[in-house]
Amino acid sequence: MRKIIYGMGLLALLGWGCNSQPSKEAHYNPERTLPNVVLIMADDMGFNDLGCYGNSTVHTPNIDRLAASGIRLTDYHSNGVVCSPTRAALLTGLYPQEAGVEGVVTAKSHRKSGMSPDKLTLGEYLKESGYATAIYGKWHLGYEPEFGPNIQGFDQFKGFVSGNVDYFSHIDQEGYEDWWINQSLQKETGYLTDLISDNAMAFLEKKEADKPFFLYLAHGAPHYPYQGPNDQADRTVGGNFQIQGSREDKAAAYKEMIESLDENVGKLMEYLEKNRLAEQTLVIFCSDNGGTKNVGSNAPYSGFKGQLYEGGHRVPAIFSWKDKITPGESDALVLSMDLFPTIASLMGLEVPKDLSGKDMSEIFDGPIPDIEEEARTVFWRFKNQAAARKGQWKLLIIDGESSLYNLSTDVQELNDVSDEYPDIFQELNKAYKEWESGLNEETILT
């Protein structure tokens, strides 16, 4: 049973209709005042790492308040179980494999490769629709400027292109300087989480009053190195350092990092409120994959980052829009790749064709009929693992061995029920094989 509290239908309230036959030449009506979008992505944050998702030790009052003011999703999933694939899926509205990024774009081995600029991104689509676009924080879809944010739809970029940087010296785990202002390496001082937020505030201060904006805050927290705001730099250029940081009590550092992120989310929300932007701005908060094995919490789910058990990809996600989204909770199945078409629809734009992601704006307008939702089958693949999901059923394949789980009664994926439900087992296996056979293996960065 879906647990959603609704007021007026969102799309009816906005007075917008959604056309599924888009024209790339004219995405929007120039006479319409388009809303703004703020997308906040945490890095390696587990399902149970926030107060609003049941954590009682990490204090996150601002994100909890964001959840209380909007829709908190309980069945939201990252498309990848590591960083780069999810970011590719989110920006393209495609499966990571279709975007050519199935694995991590590593600082060690992939410095000359990245996601193809030929892929249409959410940044490009919104920019073409009249938006000012900016990303502050983590890119992780290519190291060279030819694969960078400025080439793929963002007017402004300040941040890092690798998987992680020192929170103070901004050096990546291979010992390279990694703080960029657009296409140039430049130094900026500050604790990473604060710096990302400060740049966002500066962007908002300078924005054109009559132009909508898309602000993508791709935070590094709480990904390692585990450094709280009161710690100091560990990494030096070409130096010898511990990749995860020198802090001995990593669990305490992790807590400090999330609470710092929460504080910065609070500053942003306060700014939107004080400057009368809250009513015009959709705010989305999510994570790129599940928490890691040694810190964080994916409870009540099994598994962690890098695994296709639920804990590796079922993550927090919140949609909030003052006076437009009535507070509630939804158990609708949503993936990272759904954000592109859903944002386009909620903004009143025409949803592009040929996306694998689904426009989920209906969950803010009323319950989706169960028969429609259950008909959707979605897929994951990473290294020696694969998965398919349809309704309550999940097929999990590890090293060629397949299991079937009923997530409605077994969220920890402990009981293989493939012998009890052979028809469902065969159906999902067949669906997965058909999906996999349609992928272009030559384009996949693993």
Side-chain angles (χ1 to χ4, degrees):
M1 181 68 66
R2 178 163 292 100
K3 300 166 287 184
I4 310 181
I5 305 169
Y6 291 99
M8 295 177 62
L10 178 60
L11 298 182
L13 177 64
L14 296 174
W16 297 337
C18 296
N19 186 340
S20 60
Q21 301 294 323
S23 166
K24 188 173 181 180
E25 289 73 28
H27 300 163
Y28 71 108
N29 178 349
E31 297 180 358
R32 176 188 295 137
T33 301
L34 290 166
N36 310 306
V37 183
V38 174
L39 173 58
I40 306 168
M41 178 177 278
D43 197 348
D44 290 3
M45 177 176 283
F47 184 86
N48 184 237
D49 275 338
L50 298 171
C52 53
Y53 280 86
N55 194 300
S56 60
T57 59
V58 180
H59 302 294
T60 55
N62 295 296
I63 299 174
D64 296 349
R65 195 175 303 117
L66 185 70
S69 71
I71 295 291
R72 185 178 71 93
L73 304 183
T74 61
D75 203 1
Y76 176 87
H77 300 259
S78 57
N79 271 94
V81 291
V82 289
C83 307
S84 300
T86 294
R87 293 161 200 277
L90 182 151
L91 285 175
T92 63
L94 303 172
Y95 280 102
Q97 293 78 12
E98 296 170 327
V101 184
E102 180 171 312
V104 177
V105 185
T106 66
K108 182 177 182 179
S109 304
H110 301 100
R111 301 196 79 89
K112 299 296 182 182
S113 56
M115 187 174 75
S116 172
D118 294 338
K119 302 295 181 183
L120 176 67
T121 70
L122 177 59
E124 288 173 312
Y125 200 70
L126 292 179
K127 183 175 180 177
E128 291 168 2
S129 300
Y131 280 73
T133 58
I135 172 174
Y136 300 113
K138 177 173 173 174
W139 176 243
H140 209 193
L141 291 172
Y143 292 78
E144 296 291 338
E146 65 190 88
F147 299 112
N150 297 124
I151 303 299
Q152 306 207 45
F154 291 93
D155 299 317
Q156 296 186 34
F157 168 52
K158 288 188 179 182
F160 56 106
V161 298
S162 66
N164 62 90
V165 292
D166 187 291
Y167 280 68
F168 297 92
S169 65
H170 313 145
I171 293 170
D172 75 17
Q173 69 180 51
E174 295 299 316
Y176 291 89
E177 294 270 8
D178 191 10
W179 191 260
W180 296 75
I181 298 179
N182 293 320
Q183 299 187 28
S184 301
L185 272 172
Q186 297 187 38
K187 292 182 182 294
E188 277 195 311
T189 60
Y191 181 68
L192 181 62
T193 309
D194 295 335
L195 188 56
I196 290 170
S197 292
D198 289 346
N199 277 308
M201 300 294 192
F203 167 82
L204 292 173
E205 288 285 353
K206 297 176 182 177
K207 72 175 186 62
E208 297 179 42
D210 59 349
K211 189 169 188 176
F213 61 83
F214 170 41
L215 183 56
Y216 177 23
L217 301 184
H219 279 281
H223 195 296
Y224 69 74
Y226 300 115
Q227 298 168 309
N230 297 316
D231 291 330
Q232 55 188 347
D234 285 316
R235 299 179 182 179
T236 56
V237 173
N240 183 18
F241 47 78
Q242 298 178 50
I243 290 177
Q244 294 197 353
S246 63
R247 181 85 175 262
E248 290 187 10
D249 190 347
K250 290 179 170 49
Y254 187 83
K255 179 177 184 291
E256 293 167 15
M257 294 164 75
I258 293 179
E259 292 179 351
S260 173
L261 174 59
D262 179 78
E263 181 181 341
N264 279 282
V265 169
K267 290 178 182 177
L268 176 63
M269 298 309 297
E270 182 181 12
Y271 182 95
L272 295 177
E273 190 71 40
K274 285 185 175 180
N275 289 275
R276 300 182 180 180
L277 292 169
E279 295 86 351
Q280 307 166 38
T281 305
L282 170 66
V283 179
I284 302 170
F285 180 94
C286 61
S287 179
D288 66 342
N289 49 251
T292 59
K293 183 177 182 179
N294 298 319
V295 294
S297 174
N298 299 314
Y301 304 104
S302 299
F304 42 83
K305 176 182 179 178
Q307 294 187 326
L308 283 178
Y309 288 102
E310 289 292 287
H313 53 84
R314 191 185 293 226
V315 295
I318 298 162
F319 279 66
S320 180
W321 192 349
K322 186 177 180 180
D323 298 336
K324 304 297 191 299
I325 292 179
T326 303
E329 181 180 292
S330 172
D331 63 0
L333 175 63
V334 183
L335 279 73
S336 309
M337 65 182 178
D338 299 332
L339 293 189
F340 186 161
T342 301
I343 289 170
S345 180
L346 289 175
M347 295 302 98
L349 305 174
E350 300 176 53
V351 178
K353 297 178 181 179
D354 302 323
L355 300 182
S356 295
K358 179 179 174 61
D359 172 12
M360 298 299 294
S361 59
E362 292 172 290
I363 70 174
F364 309 110
D365 193 42
I368 302 173
D370 288 341
I371 187 171
E372 179 182 342
E373 184 180 345
E374 290 181 1
R376 187 187 192 198
T377 305
V378 295
F379 309 96
W380 291 263
R381 191 179 74 178
F382 181 63
K383 295 185 176 179
N384 64 328
Q385 308 165 80
R389 167 83 185 273
K390 181 180 181 182
Q392 69 199 50
W393 304 104
K394 180 178 177 182
L395 175 74
L396 184 62
I397 307 170
I398 301 177
D399 291 327
E401 296 293 326
S402 300
S403 303
L404 180 69
Y405 300 102
N406 182 346
L407 295 178
S408 68
T409 58
D410 181 22
V411 296
Q412 292 192 318
E413 297 162 279
L414 298 175
N415 303 305
D416 178 10
V417 294
S418 55
D419 290 340
E420 299 173 51
Y421 300 94
D423 291 345
I424 296 172
F425 182 64
Q426 292 173 12
E427 177 188 349
L428 285 178
N429 267 294
K430 179 181 178 182
Y432 176 77
K433 290 176 181 177
E434 289 177 351
W435 173 77
E436 188 176 53
S437 68
L439 298 175
N440 181 355
E441 299 289 342
E442 295 181 0
T443 67
I444 294 174
L445 177 64
T446 59

